[in-house]
Amino acid sequence: MMRWPQRVAAMLLTAVLLVGPPILLVRLVGWPTTDTPRVALWQWVRDPLTEQNLTLMLVVAAWALWAFIAYLVTATTATRLWAGVRWLRHLPLPTPWQATATGIAGAAALTITTPTTPTAETDHPAAATGTSNTHHHDDTAHADSADGIAVPGGWLPRDIADQVTAAAGLIWIRRRRTYRPNPAPQATRADSDLTPLPATVTAIQAATAADPAPTPVEPQPLAVLPSGLHPEGAVLAGPGALAAARGLLVTVLLAAPRHHTPQLVITRRAAEKLLGPAAHHLQPGPDLRIADHNEHAATLLPPPAPTEQRPGKPQALLITETPPTGPLADALTAGTTTPIILTPWPAAPTWHVDTEGHTHNPRDMSTTGPRVCVLDPTAAADLLTITGHLPPPPPSSNPAPQPRVPHQTSTHRAPEDTITPLQVRVLGEPALLINGTPLRLRRSAAQQALVFLAVHPNGTDSRHIAEALWPGMPAHRLTGRLYTTLSELRTATRTITHGTLIDRTDDRYRLNPTLVQVDLWQFHAAVEHATTTLTAPRAAWQAVVDAYTADLAHGRTWPWLDPHRETIRRTVLDAYAALAAAEPDPKRALAHLQDGLRVDPYNADLHQRTVATLHTLGEHTAATDLADRYHRRLAAVGIDDARIPSGNNLS
């Protein structure tokens, strides 16, 4: 969004263009004449190149140009005014029908403190689940309103987008928890669970990070679906009906782990209609039941309860493609299930949904209700991946090799008196330093691009850089942004170093290894030495942990970062495990394990080894306390797994 100084400057420039030319023309040549032009026209035909005629043509061209500019300004202003009028007309009114529609969009934001670290977006073939990095959708910006976010494939209310971000962060915590450090680590790593999250998730993470929602002073739990639905349910109609049904499906399943939501039952025909081929891989769970047909769905619904004992909210939500008949219609009379029907059914009110998610009352299309979550099949499948109801895309059959760090000394290096030493720090707070002094970068994207190139020492092409830095952004808007970002990095150092910070070969960019020293490259060099040395391996692994000063780009929530950050973290955990395994003294081994826990306090295997070592040293109370703290830490982020054993019978 344009900042206010730019807005003021644009308004002043527009005013000058509208007022300045007429004033100059009137003062220089006077007002346009209204006399009959016959004589002047006949003289122009006979002798068109006189000084008077040439001056007249220039004046006419100047007035025509001014009229064209005035038309453009007037048309643009009218368009924006009309958009404002439409927005005012779309403001929700407190009618019962709109309150009902609000139930479709409502979902509680997760109120947990999880690291919401966006992940990388890499190329992988579309999986059988239907997830893909390619969306055929209109060009949209990340956030098109204060209460919602537009991404390739749909639009989500802000609270649902926040849930997606929290769920993505929780996935990476689970991956950290289940990793088993290797006491005999290798130089290369191809862990299948380091696969980046789907593209839709990445785009949502980037949008929420770029435009964080304001934190309320006293956060209140929001009503979870379907608090606003009438007991008789609803029929979804209109061009956005299926997209709204997908949004409803994802909303309920996202909220289920943290909130008491009704059980969701969906028929296979409805799932296939909503998700396409991905429906064949849809996995049921405690919060999702899949019925073969309507009669089967009737057996999965909660049993009827006496009227006086019926709860205030439905116990189940049914999504079906055909109107309920027979046993299913009878089961719905119990009042414990709210149906969502994808075809006309006179027993329930109809909601008309357009492609942008705006709801309308079919009996009064001029009345616009709240905007609901709408998703295309690819976006819905991507989000169902992080809820655990669709399998993740398979890892690449040919994992990328470990990047070979370029040597930072070269016979082609420029003379020492013409180069100022540059250091790139990406472990911890990212910075570009000249003689130890941080260089200020005006654009945050420039810092992100610097870290991205440091993580890819062999270089990468412009498409991968742009898609990583601005996921979900239309392709035609990426080229200019990337050019501006890389130009700032070049110009910020060219006058100081008399060298080029970024090398470019064809369309491939990389940091100039003869000009910069990168702490991450030094870390990788230490790892390569530790995994290949045959002498003093303990000292080599100690050099690895010494080179690791902090997490990769600590505190940053860039969309591509998590797989690289977790790869580096696992290498460090392997180093601590190797040091502990090679240490005959249990106390020193315990110190290495505790250092590893400080690097990753969520890792279960390190906790088990530390607890076992504490018992070996007779520190039984400390072992129990450590296991209890670990269990509370997991519960605080929403992982209610089995407690780490605190006794001696550890497996």
Side-chain angles (χ1 to χ4, degrees):
M1 180 178 293
M2 188 180 297
R3 295 191 177 97
W4 70 265
Q6 295 174 299
R7 289 180 179 270
V8 173
M11 293 176 62
L12 291 175
L13 178 61
T14 303
V16 170
L17 289 176
L18 287 178
V19 178
I23 293 177
L24 290 175
L25 289 171
V26 170
R27 290 179 65 89
L28 294 176
V29 298
W31 287 96
T33 179
T34 58
D35 297 336
T36 176
R38 293 180 183 175
V39 176
L41 180 62
W42 176 248
Q43 292 177 350
W44 179 83
V45 171
R46 294 183 59 184
D47 191 5
L49 298 181
T50 65
E51 180 180 355
Q52 180 181 3
N53 288 339
L54 290 175
T55 302
L56 179 61
M57 286 189 289
L58 290 175
V59 171
V60 170
W63 278 110
L65 179 61
W66 174 83
F68 179 69
I69 294 175
Y71 165 75
L72 290 180
V73 173
T74 303
T76 303
T77 303
T79 301
R80 293 186 176 181
L81 288 175
W82 178 243
V85 172
R86 292 184 60 190
W87 177 81
L88 290 174
R89 292 178 58 192
H90 290 170
L91 283 176
L93 300 176
T95 62
W97 180 85
Q98 290 174 347
T100 299
T102 305
I104 291 185
L110 296 181
T111 56
I112 56 177
T113 307
T114 58
T116 56
T117 43
T119 58
E121 175 185 351
T122 61
D123 292 334
H124 60 265
T129 62
T131 57
S132 170
N133 281 343
T134 301
H135 292 274
H136 301 286
H137 200 266
D138 56 340
D139 295 339
T140 57
H142 278 312
D144 61 348
S145 66
D147 59 348
I149 288 174
V151 294
W155 182 89
L156 302 89
R158 183 61 196 235
D159 49 7
I160 300 178
D162 289 338
Q163 289 192 65
V164 172
T165 302
L170 191 59
I171 285 178
W172 283 105
I173 290 180
R174 289 184 180 276
R175 292 178 176 183
R176 290 168 60 178
R177 182 187 65 84
T178 57
Y179 176 66
R180 299 177 65 88
N182 183 8
Q186 304 296 319
T188 59
R189 181 181 298 280
D191 299 352
S192 60
D193 63 338
L194 291 179
T195 303
L197 300 183
T200 303
V201 180
T202 300
I204 294 173
Q205 289 177 299
T208 55
D211 185 23
T215 303
V217 178
E218 295 182 0
Q220 299 294 329
L222 300 177
V224 180
L225 275 171
S227 59
L229 291 176
H230 291 307
E232 63 266 27
V235 173
L236 298 182
L242 297 183
R246 297 184 197 102
L248 174 63
L249 173 68
V250 169
T251 296
V252 174
L253 296 180
L254 278 171
R258 297 289 296 180
H259 304 277
H260 181 66
T261 59
Q263 185 185 69
L264 196 149
V265 179
I266 186 171
T267 61
R268 292 195 181 277
R269 287 186 62 182
E272 292 171 359
K273 190 170 185 177
L274 296 179
L275 302 176
H280 300 292
H281 304 274
L282 191 64
Q283 300 172 353
D287 50 354
L288 176 65
R289 308 292 295 275
I290 303 175
D292 295 329
H293 40 70
N294 279 358
E295 290 73 15
H296 184 207
T299 65
L300 301 178
L301 300 180
T307 304
E308 63 276 4
Q309 298 181 5
R310 291 179 184 176
K313 296 180 180 180
Q315 301 179 30
L317 188 68
L318 171 68
I319 300 180
T320 179
E321 192 259 346
T322 56
T325 57
L328 181 58
D330 296 337
L332 293 179
T333 61
T336 57
T337 300
T338 296
I340 301 297
I341 316 300
L342 305 182
T343 52
W345 187 43
T350 298
W351 297 343
H352 186 278
V353 188
D354 64 21
T355 56
E356 300 299 321
H358 298 291
T359 55
H360 304 270
N361 187 337
R363 293 186 293 272
D364 183 11
M365 291 296 292
S366 63
T367 303
T368 302
R371 196 176 183 183
V372 301
C373 178
V374 284
L375 300 169
D376 69 8
T378 299
D382 284 354
L383 297 184
L384 289 174
T385 297
I386 65 171
T387 66
H389 295 89
L390 280 178
S396 173
S397 57
N398 297 312
Q402 188 79 7
R404 189 170 185 83
V405 178
H407 293 291
Q408 298 199 258
T409 59
S410 172
T411 58
H412 301 288
R413 195 176 182 95
E416 292 295 332
D417 58 349
T418 63
I419 286 189
T420 300
L422 282 177
Q423 298 89 34
V424 174
R425 183 181 65 206
V426 297
L427 297 176
E429 178 71 17
L432 175 61
L433 304 105
I434 298 180
N435 292 324
T437 302
L439 180 66
R440 183 178 178 271
L441 299 174
R442 295 176 301 170
R443 298 172 59 90
S444 60
Q447 185 185 75
Q448 187 178 172
L450 184 69
V451 178
F452 189 85
L453 291 174
V455 171
H456 297 81
N458 297 330
T460 185
D461 59 49
S462 59
R463 181 177 67 87
H464 284 93
I465 301 175
E467 290 179 353
L469 269 59
W470 301 285
M473 190 71 68
H476 70 272
R477 297 174 57 183
L478 295 180
T479 304
R481 290 189 175 215
L482 180 61
Y483 176 80
T484 303
T485 299
L486 297 182
S487 294
E488 178 178 347
L489 286 174
R490 287 194 181 103
T491 56
T493 57
R494 183 180 294 122
T495 57
I496 300 175
T497 63
H498 305 287
T500 303
L501 175 65
I502 300 175
D503 286 341
R504 177 180 178 181
T505 304
D506 295 329
D507 190 41
R508 196 168 188 85
Y509 297 85
R510 70 165 187 167
L511 293 179
N512 185 350
T514 67
L515 186 63
V516 297
Q517 297 178 350
V518 184
D519 57 353
L520 180 60
W521 297 357
Q522 296 168 355
F523 171 82
H524 283 311
V527 172
E528 184 176 2
H529 173 69
T531 55
T532 56
T533 185
L534 299 178
T535 60
R538 193 180 306 180
W541 285 116
Q542 185 62 48
V544 170
V545 300
D546 291 341
Y548 181 78
T549 55
D551 285 346
L552 176 66
H554 179 71
R556 302 302 190 272
T557 56
W558 295 327
W560 54 271
L561 199 56
D562 265 335
H564 304 285
R565 178 182 285 164
E566 182 60 19
T567 298
I568 296 169
R569 182 187 288 118
R570 290 184 177 186
T571 301
V572 177
L573 296 186
D574 290 348
Y576 280 119
L579 289 171
E583 184 57 66
D585 185 353
K587 290 185 177 180
R588 294 183 178 178
L590 175 64
H592 291 309
L593 293 173
Q594 290 173 330
D595 289 340
L597 290 181
R598 279 187 281 271
V599 172
D600 191 353
Y602 292 101
N603 187 266
D605 187 73
L606 277 184
H607 275 85
Q608 291 179 351
R609 297 188 194 191
T610 306
V611 167
T613 305
L614 286 171
H615 281 298
T616 300
L617 294 172
E619 300 286 346
H620 304 295
T621 301
T624 302
D625 290 344
L626 177 62
D628 290 342
R629 288 197 304 272
Y630 180 60
H631 179 71
R632 289 194 298 270
R633 181 179 292 111
L634 293 180
V637 298
I639 300 178
D640 189 17
D641 290 342
R643 184 181 296 270
I644 293 293
S646 57
N648 290 315
N649 55 343
L650 290 170
S651 58

